[in-house]
Amino acid sequence: MSETLLSSRNLAFELYEVLDAEALTQRERFAEHNRETFDAAITTARTIAEKYFAPHNRKNDENEPRYENGEAVLIPEVKPAVDAFLEAGFLNAARSFEAGGMQLPTLLSQACFAHFQSANAASTSYPFLTMGAANLIENFGSDEQKQRFLQPMIEGRFFGTMALTEPHAGSSLSDIRTRAEPAEDGTYRLRGNKIFISGGDHPLSENIVHLVLAKLPDAPPGVKGISLFIVPKFLVNDDGSLGARNDVLLAGLFHKMGWRGTTSTALNFGDNAECVGYLVGKPHHGLSYMFQMMNEARIGVGMGAVMLGYAGYLYSLEYARERPQGRLPDSKNPESAPVSIIQHADVKRMLLTQKAYVEGSFDLGLYAARLFDDTQTGETEDQRKLAHELLDLLTPIVKSWPSEFCLKANELAIQILGGHGYTREYPVEQYYRDNRLNPIHEGTHGIQSLDLLGRKLAQNGGAGLKQLVRLIADTCERAHAHESLSTLRQPLEQLVARLQSVTLELLTDLAQGKVTATLANSALYLKAFGHTVIGWRWLEQAIRAQEGLNTGNTADADFYKGKLQAARYFLTWEVPACHHELSILQARDDVCLSMQNDWF
Amino acid sequence: MSETLLSSRNLAFELYEVLDAEALTQRERFAEHNRETFDAAITTARTIAEKYFAPHNRKNDENEPRYENGEAVLIPEVKPAVDAFLEAGFLNAARSFEAGGMQLPTLLSQACFAHFQSANAASTSYPFLTMGAANLIENFGSDEQKQRFLQPMIEGRFFGTMALTEPHAGSSLSDIRTRAEPAEDGTYRLRGNKIFISGGDHPLSENIVHLVLAKLPDAPPGVKGISLFIVPKFLVNDDGSLGARNDVLLAGLFHKMGWRGTTSTALNFGDNAECVGYLVGKPHHGLSYMFQMMNEARIGVGMGAVMLGYAGYLYSLEYARERPQGRLPDSKNPESAPVSIIQHADVKRMLLTQKAYVEGSFDLGLYAARLFDDTQTGETEDQRKLAHELLDLLTPIVKSWPSEFCLKANELAIQILGGHGYTREYPVEQYYRDNRLNPIHEGTHGIQSLDLLGRKLAQNGGAGLKQLVRLIADTCERAHAHESLSTLRQPLEQLVARLQSVTLELLTDLAQGKVTATLANSALYLKAFGHTVIGWRWLEQAIRAQEGLNTGNTADADFYKGKLQAARYFLTWEVPACHHELSILQARDDVCLSMQNDWF
């Protein structure tokens, strides 16, 4: 049977040949695990994703949530799917045994989650948002808050959201207007409006815990005056039972191009001046707390984008294998049988491009998950710190690169299906519509590029960047051992050398205060940096594939040859093209910045 | 009031500064016309498009045609819109006065049509398909066929379709299975199934005239055995009145990602063995007849893609001007007022990119229309022939370039609107979904690239290519007169020189029989060739803009500066990047071709 969610062989390659997941079982936290427990978790994830999530992916799209009597109504298939996810323990996959979790490495939990993201992005959102919110309370909430709100979330009885965006402010969080007034009992009364709150209402859980950004009366201006509050849909009594309905109103639902199964809500807090909230952590520190959740969320968005690309790739691959049409250019006989379209060179190009984008960013997403494990369970303080620096640097790429290029992959999947791909009778158009959200939410593409160039590169004396350059050099060094990889290694070496010098120039400009001019072309920098990172990951995969081939294991030879071909595609067709972006950056070209409003 | 369909100033620039539309009035056929009659036609088009077409564009999308009792049902707004189009005479805009037309140059009729394509791609399709079908009967039908079918089409009483695609064959027309058996009365009986027939049923006209490709019993194999038939939905009596329902069954409707207002139908011909058809022209010559219509259709598709890009560009431009959000990077004061987002450099980049794509391909589409006029009314036989060669060569670019890059423009329009752009409360997501059809229908992107590299380049000894190179050299020569344009001219000169040498190499390979290997990378060639053509058109626009600036007319100075900036963007940010594609072509890289089915 062909696989529709992801390639199990490729996942095993990532886990056990590229990222050495088994080494994690040497760490104390994961000592109870081994390859068998890892694979069992993955099998469970695949089974539930196939059985409960994939079948209603289209139905979710065709029957978007409805607003009825102040509540959001979903199709009935969502709850059993989410319940199966909860019952199998995936909500707490990374949490400790004693806290009721599976105590899996994040690398493995991400590998499990990938199946759900591929099967049904929309239904998967609800537990994912809950995990993010729960982690935030776990890290920054008081003991009482943990008992009252976190524990029921861990048990899957309460779900969570993150409520940041406001109608007038969009990405500009410093301008939020939601206010929180202290009440006499130590709680707060919130008043304000939020939009685009995913999962802001649904019938999947007893209660919904909103994590809301708001400003206290004495808040300093800007991002340093934002505080974080827990605002439950229903108040929770001391004994844990549900109390009165809180003053949080579902004002309406947004109707989206895709990702329709996830409610996107407008929420009014405190229309009746009775919206109770609980301050999380210290006043005015809300944004830094939220950013921890956001960084996890960004990796989640990146993996979500990868998996939509993956689903489209596998579908179009299967279609191309089965669909006979046309003849090869040198065929002379019009009465010969048509060939399957996978034999047409341009179809191969579209499949190979998808493979390069999808498997390249799948590797990066899992690599980032592995780094996250190192930040938590790395052996030394120094290792954990290094992992943290590198993950911080890579986060904008993990989020933005798949959002752009796996969307492009989805575009190619449609093209392979031709007219059929454009109809809703086939799944690929939905993947494309779903994926179009990813360059927007959890920080737009533009924000990722500013985060990378304006903040992450220079952070802590460029510690992340230095490490990345060292790791790439190390990969290139190991590639030297394989003569067959020299044409793959050289373009990466050339690009990374140039990227380093351009980076130095730009950081110098920034240090000299040329902020506006330098950041103006940050989109180009994001592209070149991203392709360098993915190129590096492909060279790493190519080394493993070459090593695999060298063992003479014929059963896997085709798999490894495909890896080498995709690596060759990416490193020779895509990586060298980025010198163009670097040239523009080096020239300090100002064509965009100098464009004037009146000239349009 | 801001314009929503296209910029009138830009259209006037194209018609009267770049393409010299007034010179056409020197030709006998257009002697009755002048700038006033041209502008009057344009004003009428804009008025009708704004009043009847634009208002139901979203409603078309939300209420796609329904299948009821064997017929397609549309929303009631479509017919009054189409009727207004007919009543104003646009169906026969290019037809002669004596045939009841407006006798406008095609340049002008395209300029008029652009307004409808921008306002409502779906409703516009019905009369457009009819124009194509009518032209085909006019050129190849018998006098009797013209009287019986063409005349009611000209009068707007009968509409038309082109019925090519079959379920198993897709783009591979040589494999169609629809059969036509001669009957005793000189007519034919057709039997077969067609899919994706746009406008295959609707309640907008008394009758629908399908132009159907089918094979006669004695047909030679392949594309040389295809004949063309008129198959009306209702038979037409000798006196012109409608006769019996023909044996053409609406088998179903396709449900598309976008462009939903246009019925996409599955038609069964001859389920009851009583489907009457009339042979057009000679047996087995159907494909060459159809290709005439298809070439016009491809230019129409290209302009349609441009106009969806244009609509999205104008909407996102207006939004960016009005939406306050965030502060510039060097702002130190978080309490300062937010700026309108058009002031952010990355938003300027996304707008300038859209402008470059949209106005560049708008110029090309109108240039192609002007060439079409030259093929018909050029003064000498030689001029007409030259125009024909060049138009033939450019057709794959006119069709494919906007389909790819104005879709990209729509993607950027969504990004500018952020979360709002992703909702159906704003129009940009629909433009994106609508535009995704264009790289597929009327010959996919892959087919355009094969048409260009495998057929058009070498056609008639490369007459079209030689002419194009001469015209580009002429433009570069004229650009020499303006020192300010040297940084724009040089990248084009460099690219076109390299393109010429790569083209020569590839044509030599083809002549030596290396067909499969050479055509394998045709997508890269299409990209490089297309960017060369659009780069040339931008340099041409830049010359006119510089000339305009030099006149010292201050009222237009901003407009001209915007043109120069967009030209600079395209020629310095986009054109040089194509050396990368040419390098791959020059290396005869086979990474895609050598990929094997089993390696995926």
Side-chain angles (χ1 to χ4, degrees):
Chain A
M1 195 191 80
S2 69
E3 295 179 294
T4 58
L5 304 181
L6 54 79
S7 153
S8 298
R9 179 65 189 89
N10 186 43
L11 178 57
F13 174 72
E14 287 296 340
L15 293 179
Y16 305 119
E17 297 173 68
V18 179
L19 298 171
D20 197 7
E22 286 182 276
L24 291 167
T25 63
Q26 303 302 313
R27 297 182 184 173
E28 195 187 328
R29 183 173 172 88
F30 309 122
E32 311 262 317
H33 282 290
N34 51 49
R35 185 162 171 170
E36 283 66 40
T37 64
F38 289 169
D39 287 346
I42 288 169
T43 301
T44 304
R46 188 178 64 235
T47 306
I48 295 175
E50 285 176 349
K51 183 170 175 188
Y52 292 99
F53 282 79
H56 72 280
N57 190 43
R58 173 60 76 175
K59 190 172 176 187
N60 250 348
D61 183 68
E62 289 177 344
N63 301 274
E64 62 188 335
R66 297 189 317 279
Y67 178 93
E68 271 180 22
N69 304 322
E71 311 263 339
V73 181
L74 312 185
I75 60 171
E77 287 83 351
V78 182
K79 187 158 169 53
V82 170
D83 285 348
F85 181 95
L86 298 177
E87 222 151 281
F90 287 115
L91 191 75
N92 303 300
R95 202 161 264 114
S96 68
F97 293 127
E98 63 197 19
M102 298 164 80
Q103 206 161 317
L104 278 172
T106 298
L107 172 59
L108 265 294
S109 60
Q110 282 290 354
C112 291
F113 296 161
H115 297 80
F116 300 100
Q117 293 174 302
S118 180
N120 193 325
S123 289
T124 302
S125 294
Y126 298 102
F128 273 33
L129 289 159
T130 302
M131 285 190 259
N135 289 347
L136 214 162
I137 298 175
E138 184 159 27
N139 283 314
F140 304 107
S142 66
D143 285 344
E144 199 208 321
Q145 288 168 349
K146 287 181 196 174
Q147 206 202 328
R148 200 177 289 249
F149 299 109
L150 174 62
Q151 191 52 38
M153 292 172 86
I154 291 175
E155 292 165 17
R157 297 190 292 111
F158 292 7
F159 276 21
T161 76
M162 48 203 281
L164 288 72
T165 306
E166 300 190 7
H168 65 287
S171 306
S172 181
L173 293 174
S174 66
D175 291 312
I176 61 166
R177 292 179 191 151
T178 299
R179 301 285 152 183
E181 296 277 346
E184 288 180 5
D185 61 358
T187 66
Y188 293 80
R189 294 294 170 274
L190 275 78
R191 183 175 289 217
N193 307 307
K194 300 280 181 180
I195 58 170
F196 301 147
I197 308 310
S198 295
D201 198 56
H202 56 71
L204 303 173
S205 57
E206 296 171 22
N207 201 357
I208 301 176
V209 178
H210 305 291
L211 290 167
V212 182
L213 293 183
K215 290 186 176 177
L216 291 166
D218 62 344
V223 292
K224 288 176 182 163
I226 298 173
S227 303
L228 179 67
F229 297 86
I230 290 172
V231 181
K233 178 176 173 180
F234 292 97
L235 300 179
V236 180
N237 299 321
D238 289 343
D239 66 356
S241 63
L242 290 192
R245 182 78 156 79
N246 201 357
D247 183 10
V248 182
L249 181 79
L250 176 64
L253 299 176
F254 292 95
H255 302 94
K256 306 190 292 299
M257 171 165 64
W259 212 296
R260 294 189 183 187
T262 302
T263 51
S264 179
T265 63
L267 296 179
N268 291 356
F269 295 90
D271 274 3
N272 301 309
E274 290 173 1
C275 176
V276 177
Y278 308 90
L279 179 68
V280 177
K282 288 187 286 185
H284 318 318
H285 279 62
L287 204 61
S288 66
Y289 303 152
M290 189 60 95
F291 258 98
Q292 181 202 298
M293 181 152 127
M294 199 122 69
N295 276 330
E296 287 173 40
R298 285 175 177 175
I299 295 171
V301 167
M303 276 301 283
V306 171
M307 298 319 297
L308 285 166
Y310 217 139
Y313 164 56
L314 291 179
Y315 194 92
S316 65
L317 174 60
E318 195 60 22
Y319 183 91
R321 282 175 166 151
E322 290 184 355
R323 166 81 179 177
Q325 192 179 304
R327 283 154 202 86
L328 297 181
D330 53 4
S331 161
K332 307 283 184 219
N333 178 6
E335 290 183 289
S336 61
V339 300
S340 62
I341 62 171
I342 200 171
Q343 295 193 48
H344 295 300
D346 198 53
V347 174
K348 289 186 192 184
R349 175 185 65 81
M350 293 190 281
L351 289 170
L352 192 56
T353 305
Q354 286 183 74
K355 182 178 169 76
Y357 292 167
V358 167
E359 294 183 5
S361 51
F362 185 67
D363 173 278
L364 177 64
L366 292 180
Y367 178 80
R370 180 76 159 79
L371 272 182
F372 187 82
D373 283 321
D374 291 342
T375 66
Q376 306 295 306
T377 57
E379 283 181 31
T380 66
E381 170 71 26
D382 202 47
Q383 283 172 352
R384 293 193 290 275
K385 200 164 154 282
L386 275 172
H388 191 81
E389 297 287 1
L390 184 57
L391 181 60
D392 244 22
L393 176 69
L394 291 178
T395 297
I397 303 301
V398 175
K399 195 272 176 184
S400 68
W401 202 91
S403 297
E404 180 170 353
F405 291 94
C406 292
L407 176 65
K408 177 81 190 154
N410 287 143
E411 196 176 314
L412 294 171
I414 292 176
Q415 194 68 16
I416 288 173
L417 270 73
H420 296 291
Y422 193 65
T423 68
R424 309 203 299 281
E425 274 77 26
Y426 290 81
V428 287
E429 64 87 30
Q430 185 187 342
Y431 300 141
Y432 181 62
R433 284 186 291 108
D434 286 356
N435 223 348
R436 185 61 190 84
L437 176 60
N438 286 317
I440 297 172
H441 68 162
E442 309 298 349
T444 63
H445 224 65
I447 284 182
Q448 302 305 319
S449 71
L450 292 177
D451 184 43
L452 176 66
L453 182 54
R455 188 180 308 141
K456 295 292 177 62
L457 280 178
Q459 194 169 285
N460 292 330
L465 181 65
K466 282 174 198 159
Q467 202 186 156
L468 177 66
V469 168
R470 200 162 56 234
L471 287 167
I472 296 178
D474 173 65
T475 302
C476 290
E477 184 59 36
R478 280 182 290 115
H480 261 283
H482 305 278
E483 179 52 35
S484 60
L485 299 183
S486 66
T487 54
L488 278 59
R489 173 179 46 80
Q490 284 155 7
L492 181 65
E493 285 176 340
Q494 285 158 14
L495 187 65
V496 78
R498 181 123 179 244
L499 180 72
Q500 274 182 271
S501 74
V502 172
T503 303
L504 189 63
E505 290 176 34
L506 297 178
L507 290 179
T508 306
D509 282 3
L510 282 172
Q512 290 173 352
K514 298 175 192 163
V515 179
T516 301
T518 307
L519 294 182
N521 292 342
S522 57
L524 299 184
Y525 188 83
L526 186 74
K527 160 89 192 294
F529 192 94
H531 263 56
T532 304
V533 170
I534 299 289
W536 163 52
R537 297 310 307 163
W538 265 117
L539 186 59
E540 193 65 44
Q541 290 190 62
I543 293 171
R544 305 302 179 183
Q546 188 61 55
E547 289 168 354
L549 261 187
N550 293 350
T551 64
N553 175 351
T554 52
D556 275 336
D558 282 342
F559 174 80
Y560 291 130
K561 285 178 187 168
K563 280 289 177 192
L564 288 168
Q565 198 83 356
R568 186 180 143 205
Y569 167 82
F570 195 79
L571 286 155
T572 64
W573 279 46
E574 298 254 344
V575 161
C578 297
H579 286 280
H580 175 66
E581 279 83 15
L582 293 179
S583 296
I584 295 174
L585 287 163
Q586 247 170 334
R588 310 291 195 278
D589 188 285
D590 72 345
V591 65
C592 295
L593 184 65
S594 61
M595 181 69 182
Q596 300 297 309
N597 186 347
D598 293 338
W599 299 357
F600 279 109
Chain B
M1 198 191 77
S2 69
E3 295 178 293
T4 58
L5 304 180
L6 54 80
S7 152
S8 298
R9 179 66 190 90
N10 187 42
L11 178 57
F13 173 73
E14 287 297 340
L15 293 179
Y16 304 118
E17 296 172 71
V18 179
L19 298 171
D20 198 6
E22 285 181 277
L24 291 167
T25 64
Q26 303 301 312
R27 296 181 185 173
E28 196 187 327
R29 183 172 173 90
F30 309 122
E32 311 262 317
H33 282 291
N34 51 50
R35 184 161 173 170
E36 283 67 41
T37 63
F38 288 169
D39 288 346
I42 288 168
T43 301
T44 304
R46 188 177 63 235
T47 305
I48 296 175
E50 287 176 348
K51 183 170 174 188
Y52 292 99
F53 282 78
H56 72 280
N57 190 46
R58 174 59 77 175
K59 191 171 175 187
N60 251 346
D61 183 68
E62 289 177 345
N63 301 273
E64 63 188 334
R66 298 190 316 278
Y67 178 93
E68 272 182 19
N69 304 319
E71 312 261 338
V73 180
L74 313 184
I75 60 170
E77 288 84 351
V78 182
K79 188 160 168 52
V82 170
D83 285 349
F85 182 95
L86 298 176
E87 222 152 279
F90 286 116
L91 192 74
N92 304 300
R95 201 161 265 114
S96 67
F97 293 128
E98 63 197 20
M102 298 163 81
Q103 206 161 318
L104 279 171
T106 297
L107 172 60
L108 265 294
S109 59
Q110 282 290 355
C112 291
F113 295 161
H115 296 81
F116 300 100
Q117 293 174 302
S118 179
N120 193 323
S123 289
T124 302
S125 294
Y126 297 103
F128 273 34
L129 289 160
T130 302
M131 284 189 259
N135 290 346
L136 213 164
I137 299 176
E138 185 159 27
N139 284 315
F140 304 106
S142 67
D143 286 344
E144 201 208 317
Q145 288 168 348
K146 287 181 195 173
Q147 205 201 329
R148 200 177 290 247
F149 299 108
L150 174 62
Q151 191 52 38
M153 291 172 87
I154 290 175
E155 292 164 18
R157 296 189 293 112
F158 292 7
F159 276 20
T161 77
M162 45 203 282
L164 289 72
T165 306
E166 300 189 8
H168 65 288
S171 306
S172 181
L173 293 174
S174 68
D175 291 312
I176 63 166
R177 292 180 190 150
T178 299
R179 300 286 152 182
E181 296 277 346
E184 288 181 5
D185 61 358
T187 66
Y188 294 80
R189 294 295 170 274
L190 276 78
R191 183 174 287 213
N193 307 308
K194 300 281 182 181
I195 58 169
F196 301 147
I197 309 309
S198 295
D201 199 55
H202 55 71
L204 303 173
S205 58
E206 298 170 21
N207 200 358
I208 301 175
V209 179
H210 304 292
L211 290 167
V212 182
L213 292 184
K215 289 185 176 179
L216 292 165
D218 62 344
V223 292
K224 287 175 182 163
I226 298 173
S227 302
L228 179 67
F229 297 86
I230 291 171
V231 180
K233 177 176 175 180
F234 291 97
L235 299 179
V236 180
N237 298 321
D238 289 343
D239 65 357
S241 63
L242 291 192
R245 183 77 156 77
N246 201 358
D247 183 11
V248 182
L249 181 80
L250 176 64
L253 299 176
F254 292 95
H255 302 95
K256 305 189 294 299
M257 170 165 65
W259 212 296
R260 295 190 181 186
T262 302
T263 51
S264 180
T265 63
L267 297 179
N268 290 357
F269 296 91
D271 274 3
N272 301 309
E274 289 174 359
C275 176
V276 178
Y278 309 91
L279 179 68
V280 177
K282 289 186 286 184
H284 318 319
H285 280 62
L287 203 62
S288 65
Y289 304 153
M290 189 60 96
F291 258 98
Q292 183 202 297
M293 181 151 129
M294 200 122 68
N295 276 330
E296 287 172 38
R298 284 174 178 176
I299 295 171
V301 168
M303 276 301 283
V306 171
M307 297 318 299
L308 285 167
Y310 217 140
Y313 164 56
L314 292 179
Y315 194 92
S316 64
L317 174 59
E318 195 61 23
Y319 183 90
R321 282 176 166 151
E322 291 183 355
R323 167 82 180 176
Q325 192 179 304
R327 283 154 202 85
L328 298 181
D330 52 4
S331 161
K332 308 282 184 220
N333 179 5
E335 291 184 289
S336 60
V339 301
S340 62
I341 63 171
I342 200 171
Q343 294 192 49
H344 295 301
D346 197 54
V347 173
K348 288 187 191 184
R349 175 185 66 81
M350 293 191 280
L351 289 169
L352 192 57
T353 305
Q354 286 184 73
K355 182 178 169 77
Y357 291 167
V358 166
E359 294 183 4
S361 51
F362 185 68
D363 174 279
L364 177 64
L366 293 179
Y367 179 80
R370 180 74 158 80
L371 272 183
F372 186 82
D373 284 321
D374 291 343
T375 67
Q376 305 295 307
T377 58
E379 281 182 33
T380 66
E381 170 70 26
D382 202 47
Q383 284 173 350
R384 293 192 291 274
K385 201 164 154 283
L386 276 171
H388 192 81
E389 298 286 359
L390 183 58
L391 182 58
D392 245 23
L393 175 69
L394 291 177
T395 297
I397 303 302
V398 175
K399 196 272 177 184
S400 67
W401 202 92
S403 298
E404 180 170 354
F405 291 95
C406 292
L407 176 65
K408 178 81 190 154
N410 287 145
E411 195 176 314
L412 293 171
I414 292 175
Q415 195 67 18
I416 288 173
L417 269 74
H420 296 291
Y422 193 65
T423 69
R424 307 202 301 280
E425 274 78 27
Y426 289 82
V428 288
E429 64 86 29
Q430 185 187 342
Y431 299 141
Y432 180 63
R433 284 187 291 109
D434 286 356
N435 223 350
R436 185 61 190 82
L437 177 59
N438 287 316
I440 297 172
H441 68 161
E442 309 298 348
T444 62
H445 225 63
I447 283 182
Q448 302 304 321
S449 71
L450 293 176
D451 184 43
L452 176 65
L453 182 55
R455 189 181 305 141
K456 295 294 177 59
L457 280 178
Q459 193 169 285
N460 293 328
L465 180 65
K466 284 175 197 157
Q467 205 186 152
L468 177 65
V469 169
R470 201 162 54 235
L471 287 167
I472 296 178
D474 174 64
T475 301
C476 290
E477 183 58 38
R478 280 182 289 115
H480 261 283
H482 305 278
E483 180 52 34
S484 59
L485 300 182
S486 67
T487 54
L488 278 58
R489 174 178 47 79
Q490 285 155 5
L492 182 64
E493 285 176 339
Q494 285 158 14
L495 186 65
V496 78
R498 181 125 179 243
L499 180 72
Q500 274 182 272
S501 74
V502 172
T503 303
L504 189 62
E505 290 176 34
L506 297 178
L507 290 179
T508 305
D509 282 4
L510 282 171
Q512 290 172 353
K514 299 175 192 161
V515 179
T516 302
T518 308
L519 295 182
N521 292 341
S522 57
L524 299 184
Y525 188 85
L526 186 74
K527 160 89 192 293
F529 192 94
H531 263 56
T532 305
V533 170
I534 299 289
W536 162 51
R537 297 311 308 163
W538 264 118
L539 186 60
E540 193 64 44
Q541 290 191 61
I543 294 171
R544 304 303 178 181
Q546 188 60 56
E547 289 168 356
L549 262 187
N550 292 350
T551 64
N553 175 351
T554 52
D556 275 336
D558 282 343
F559 174 80
Y560 292 129
K561 285 178 187 167
K563 281 288 178 191
L564 288 169
Q565 198 84 356
R568 187 180 143 205
Y569 167 82
F570 195 80
L571 286 155
T572 64
W573 278 45
E574 299 254 344
V575 161
C578 297
H579 286 280
H580 175 66
E581 278 85 13
L582 293 178
S583 296
I584 295 174
L585 287 162
Q586 249 172 334
R588 310 291 195 280
D589 187 286
D590 71 345
V591 66
C592 295
L593 185 64
S594 61
M595 181 68 182
Q596 300 298 308
N597 186 346
D598 293 337
W599 299 355
F600 280 108

